PDB file of all heavy atoms in Angstrom:
ATOM      1  N   PHE A  27      74.926  39.322  77.498  1.00 93.00           N
ATOM      2  CA  PHE A  27      76.023  38.414  77.172  1.00 93.00           C
ATOM      3  C   PHE A  27      76.827  39.001  76.035  1.00 93.00           C
ATOM      4  O   PHE A  27      76.389  39.936  75.356  1.00 93.00           O
ATOM      5  CB  PHE A  27      75.504  37.016  76.813  1.00 93.00           C
ATOM      6  CG  PHE A  27      74.682  36.964  75.565  1.00 93.00           C
ATOM      7  CD1 PHE A  27      75.256  36.620  74.349  1.00 93.00           C
ATOM      8  CD2 PHE A  27      73.332  37.257  75.596  1.00 93.00           C
ATOM      9  CE1 PHE A  27      74.498  36.567  73.195  1.00 93.00           C
ATOM     10  CE2 PHE A  27      72.559  37.213  74.450  1.00 93.00           C
ATOM     11  CZ  PHE A  27      73.146  36.865  73.240  1.00 93.00           C
ATOM     12  N   SER A  28      77.994  38.440  75.801  1.00 90.00           N
ATOM     13  CA  SER A  28      78.898  38.934  74.772  1.00 90.00           C
ATOM     14  C   SER A  28      78.824  38.065  73.529  1.00 90.00           C
ATOM     15  O   SER A  28      78.853  36.834  73.619  1.00 90.00           O
ATOM     16  CB  SER A  28      80.332  38.970  75.288  1.00 90.00           C
ATOM     17  OG  SER A  28      81.235  39.299  74.251  1.00 90.00           O
ATOM     18  N   LEU A  29      78.755  38.706  72.374  1.00 91.00           N
ATOM     19  CA  LEU A  29      78.785  37.968  71.115  1.00 91.00           C
ATOM     20  C   LEU A  29      80.137  37.305  70.870  1.00 91.00           C
ATOM     21  O   LEU A  29      80.253  36.472  69.967  1.00 91.00           O
ATOM     22  CB  LEU A  29      78.432  38.891  69.955  1.00 91.00           C
ATOM     23  CG  LEU A  29      77.015  39.481  69.959  1.00 91.00           C
ATOM     24  CD1 LEU A  29      76.807  40.370  68.743  1.00 91.00           C
ATOM     25  CD2 LEU A  29      75.973  38.383  70.006  1.00 91.00           C
ATOM     26  N   ASP A  30      81.141  37.657  71.651  1.00 89.00           N
ATOM     27  CA  ASP A  30      82.445  37.006  71.538  1.00 89.00           C
ATOM     28  C   ASP A  30      82.394  35.547  71.954  1.00 89.00           C
ATOM     29  O   ASP A  30      83.253  34.754  71.548  1.00 89.00           O
ATOM     30  CB  ASP A  30      83.485  37.724  72.396  1.00 89.00           C
ATOM     31  CG  ASP A  30      83.879  39.076  71.853  1.00 89.00           C
ATOM     32  OD1 ASP A  30      83.688  39.328  70.653  1.00 89.00           O
ATOM     33  OD2 ASP A  30      84.403  39.891  72.643  1.00 89.00           O
ATOM     34  N   TYR A  31      81.403  35.180  72.755  1.00 91.00           N
ATOM     35  CA  TYR A  31      81.360  33.840  73.328  1.00 91.00           C
ATOM     36  C   TYR A  31      80.118  33.050  72.945  1.00 91.00           C
ATOM     37  O   TYR A  31      79.901  31.952  73.479  1.00 91.00           O
ATOM     38  CB  TYR A  31      81.478  33.931  74.850  1.00 91.00           C
ATOM     39  CG  TYR A  31      82.727  34.654  75.285  1.00 91.00           C
ATOM     40  CD1 TYR A  31      82.673  35.921  75.844  1.00 91.00           C
ATOM     41  CD2 TYR A  31      83.977  34.067  75.110  1.00 91.00           C
ATOM     42  CE1 TYR A  31      83.823  36.594  76.224  1.00 91.00           C
ATOM     43  CE2 TYR A  31      85.130  34.730  75.487  1.00 91.00           C
ATOM     44  CZ  TYR A  31      85.045  35.984  76.047  1.00 91.00           C
ATOM     45  OH  TYR A  31      86.198  36.640  76.416  1.00 91.00           O
ATOM     46  N   TYR A  32      79.322  33.569  72.045  1.00 95.00           N
ATOM     47  CA  TYR A  32      78.120  32.898  71.594  1.00 95.00           C
ATOM     48  C   TYR A  32      77.991  32.979  70.084  1.00 95.00           C
ATOM     49  O   TYR A  32      78.343  33.996  69.474  1.00 95.00           O
ATOM     50  CB  TYR A  32      76.869  33.516  72.230  1.00 95.00           C
ATOM     51  CG  TYR A  32      76.676  33.144  73.677  1.00 95.00           C
ATOM     52  CD1 TYR A  32      77.341  33.831  74.682  1.00 95.00           C
ATOM     53  CD2 TYR A  32      75.827  32.102  74.041  1.00 95.00           C
ATOM     54  CE1 TYR A  32      77.183  33.490  76.005  1.00 95.00           C
ATOM     55  CE2 TYR A  32      75.657  31.754  75.367  1.00 95.00           C
ATOM     56  CZ  TYR A  32      76.341  32.453  76.344  1.00 95.00           C
ATOM     57  OH  TYR A  32      76.167  32.107  77.665  1.00 95.00           O
ATOM     58  N   ALA A  33      77.499  31.902  69.514  1.00 96.00           N
ATOM     59  CA  ALA A  33      77.033  31.925  68.137  1.00 96.00           C
ATOM     60  C   ALA A  33      75.582  32.386  68.123  1.00 96.00           C
ATOM     61  O   ALA A  33      74.814  32.071  69.039  1.00 96.00           O
ATOM     62  CB  ALA A  33      77.138  30.534  67.516  1.00 96.00           C
ATOM     63  N   ILE A  34      75.217  33.139  67.098  1.00 97.00           N
ATOM     64  CA  ILE A  34      73.843  33.597  66.945  1.00 97.00           C
ATOM     65  C   ILE A  34      73.249  32.937  65.703  1.00 97.00           C
ATOM     66  O   ILE A  34      73.794  33.074  64.604  1.00 97.00           O
ATOM     67  CB  ILE A  34      73.742  35.119  66.830  1.00 97.00           C
ATOM     68  CG1 ILE A  34      74.349  35.791  68.068  1.00 97.00           C
ATOM     69  CG2 ILE A  34      72.282  35.537  66.642  1.00 97.00           C
ATOM     70  CD1 ILE A  34      73.610  35.467  69.364  1.00 97.00           C
ATOM     71  N   VAL A  52      79.218  33.155  63.798  1.00 95.00           N
ATOM     72  CA  VAL A  52      80.112  33.098  64.945  1.00 95.00           C
ATOM     73  C   VAL A  52      81.041  34.303  64.813  1.00 95.00           C
ATOM     74  O   VAL A  52      82.000  34.270  64.038  1.00 95.00           O
ATOM     75  CB  VAL A  52      80.905  31.791  65.001  1.00 95.00           C
ATOM     76  CG1 VAL A  52      81.802  31.758  66.234  1.00 95.00           C
ATOM     77  CG2 VAL A  52      79.965  30.597  65.008  1.00 95.00           C
ATOM     78  N   SER A  53      80.724  35.362  65.531  1.00 90.00           N
ATOM     79  CA  SER A  53      81.474  36.605  65.391  1.00 90.00           C
ATOM     80  C   SER A  53      82.935  36.450  65.770  1.00 90.00           C
ATOM     81  O   SER A  53      83.796  37.139  65.213  1.00 90.00           O
ATOM     82  CB  SER A  53      80.835  37.697  66.245  1.00 90.00           C
ATOM     83  OG  SER A  53      79.526  37.986  65.813  1.00 90.00           O
ATOM     84  N   ARG A  54      83.224  35.562  66.698  1.00 88.00           N
ATOM     85  CA  ARG A  54      84.578  35.368  67.179  1.00 88.00           C
ATOM     86  C   ARG A  54      85.534  35.006  66.047  1.00 88.00           C
ATOM     87  O   ARG A  54      86.658  35.511  65.991  1.00 88.00           O
ATOM     88  CB  ARG A  54      84.597  34.275  68.248  1.00 88.00           C
ATOM     89  CG  ARG A  54      85.960  34.029  68.862  1.00 88.00           C
ATOM     90  CD  ARG A  54      86.233  35.002  69.975  1.00 88.00           C
ATOM     91  NE  ARG A  54      87.393  34.604  70.757  1.00 88.00           N
ATOM     92  CZ  ARG A  54      87.823  35.237  71.825  1.00 88.00           C
ATOM     93  NH1 ARG A  54      87.168  36.309  72.265  1.00 88.00           N
ATOM     94  NH2 ARG A  54      88.896  34.811  72.473  1.00 88.00           N
ATOM     95  N   ASP A  55      85.102  34.141  65.144  1.00 88.00           N
ATOM     96  CA  ASP A  55      85.967  33.733  64.048  1.00 88.00           C
ATOM     97  C   ASP A  55      85.465  34.175  62.681  1.00 88.00           C
ATOM     98  O   ASP A  55      86.136  33.942  61.669  1.00 88.00           O
ATOM     99  CB  ASP A  55      86.192  32.213  64.063  1.00 88.00           C
ATOM    100  CG  ASP A  55      84.916  31.405  63.958  1.00 88.00           C
ATOM    101  OD1 ASP A  55      83.897  31.927  63.478  1.00 88.00           O
ATOM    102  OD2 ASP A  55      84.935  30.226  64.366  1.00 88.00           O
ATOM    103  N   ASN A  74      79.093  43.995  66.538  1.00 91.00           N
ATOM    104  CA  ASN A  74      79.312  43.690  67.941  1.00 91.00           C
ATOM    105  C   ASN A  74      79.235  44.925  68.831  1.00 91.00           C
ATOM    106  O   ASN A  74      78.846  44.822  69.996  1.00 91.00           O
ATOM    107  CB  ASN A  74      80.658  42.991  68.130  1.00 91.00           C
ATOM    108  CG  ASN A  74      80.643  41.554  67.648  1.00 91.00           C
ATOM    109  OD1 ASN A  74      79.761  41.149  66.887  1.00 91.00           O
ATOM    110  ND2 ASN A  74      81.621  40.774  68.083  1.00 91.00           N
ATOM    111  N   ASN A  77      75.821  45.079  69.661  1.00 96.00           N
ATOM    112  CA  ASN A  77      75.290  43.808  70.146  1.00 96.00           C
ATOM    113  C   ASN A  77      74.134  43.318  69.277  1.00 96.00           C
ATOM    114  O   ASN A  77      73.151  42.766  69.781  1.00 96.00           O
ATOM    115  CB  ASN A  77      74.840  43.923  71.604  1.00 96.00           C
ATOM    116  CG  ASN A  77      75.984  44.240  72.543  1.00 96.00           C
ATOM    117  OD1 ASN A  77      77.024  43.582  72.514  1.00 96.00           O
ATOM    118  ND2 ASN A  77      75.798  45.240  73.386  1.00 96.00           N
ATOM    119  N   ALA A  99      73.868  30.377  71.140  1.00 96.00           N
ATOM    120  CA  ALA A  99      74.476  29.124  71.563  1.00 96.00           C
ATOM    121  C   ALA A  99      75.891  29.373  72.049  1.00 96.00           C
ATOM    122  O   ALA A  99      76.631  30.127  71.416  1.00 96.00           O
ATOM    123  CB  ALA A  99      74.491  28.123  70.405  1.00 96.00           C
ATOM    124  N   PRO A 100      76.298  28.750  73.159  1.00 94.00           N
ATOM    125  CA  PRO A 100      77.684  28.920  73.616  1.00 94.00           C
ATOM    126  C   PRO A 100      78.670  28.503  72.548  1.00 94.00           C
ATOM    127  O   PRO A 100      78.477  27.490  71.864  1.00 94.00           O
ATOM    128  CB  PRO A 100      77.767  28.000  74.840  1.00 94.00           C
ATOM    129  CG  PRO A 100      76.361  27.835  75.299  1.00 94.00           C
ATOM    130  CD  PRO A 100      75.528  27.872  74.052  1.00 94.00           C
ATOM    131  N   PHE A 101      79.722  29.284  72.403  1.00 86.00           N
ATOM    132  CA  PHE A 101      80.760  29.019  71.426  1.00 86.00           C
ATOM    133  C   PHE A 101      82.019  28.565  72.152  1.00 86.00           C
ATOM    134  O   PHE A 101      82.516  29.268  73.029  1.00 86.00           O
ATOM    135  CB  PHE A 101      81.035  30.264  70.598  1.00 86.00           C
ATOM    136  CG  PHE A 101      82.193  30.114  69.658  1.00 86.00           C
ATOM    137  CD1 PHE A 101      82.117  29.256  68.579  1.00 86.00           C
ATOM    138  CD2 PHE A 101      83.359  30.838  69.851  1.00 86.00           C
ATOM    139  CE1 PHE A 101      83.180  29.112  67.703  1.00 86.00           C
ATOM    140  CE2 PHE A 101      84.429  30.709  68.987  1.00 86.00           C
ATOM    141  CZ  PHE A 101      84.337  29.842  67.911  1.00 86.00           C
ATOM    142  N   TYR A 102      82.518  27.413  71.767  1.00 82.00           N
ATOM    143  CA  TYR A 102      83.676  26.828  72.432  1.00 82.00           C
ATOM    144  C   TYR A 102      84.933  26.844  71.578  1.00 82.00           C
ATOM    145  O   TYR A 102      85.888  26.144  71.880  1.00 82.00           O
ATOM    146  CB  TYR A 102      83.354  25.398  72.866  1.00 82.00           C
ATOM    147  CG  TYR A 102      82.221  25.326  73.851  1.00 82.00           C
ATOM    148  CD1 TYR A 102      80.951  24.921  73.460  1.00 82.00           C
ATOM    149  CD2 TYR A 102      82.417  25.682  75.185  1.00 82.00           C
ATOM    150  CE1 TYR A 102      79.910  24.871  74.360  1.00 82.00           C
ATOM    151  CE2 TYR A 102      81.378  25.631  76.088  1.00 82.00           C
ATOM    152  CZ  TYR A 102      80.127  25.223  75.674  1.00 82.00           C
ATOM    153  OH  TYR A 102      79.092  25.166  76.583  1.00 82.00           O
ATOM    154  N   GLY A 103      84.922  27.610  70.526  1.00 80.00           N
ATOM    155  CA  GLY A 103      86.110  27.781  69.714  1.00 80.00           C
ATOM    156  C   GLY A 103      86.376  26.675  68.720  1.00 80.00           C
ATOM    157  O   GLY A 103      87.489  26.588  68.193  1.00 80.00           O
TER     158      GLY A 103
END
Side-chain angles (χ1 to χ4, degrees):
F27 65 96
S28 173
L29 296 180
D30 289 339
Y31 303 109
Y32 285 83
I34 302 296
V52 181
S53 297
R54 182 84 168 183
D55 59 22
N74 286 18
N77 297 310
F101 174 68
Y102 298 103

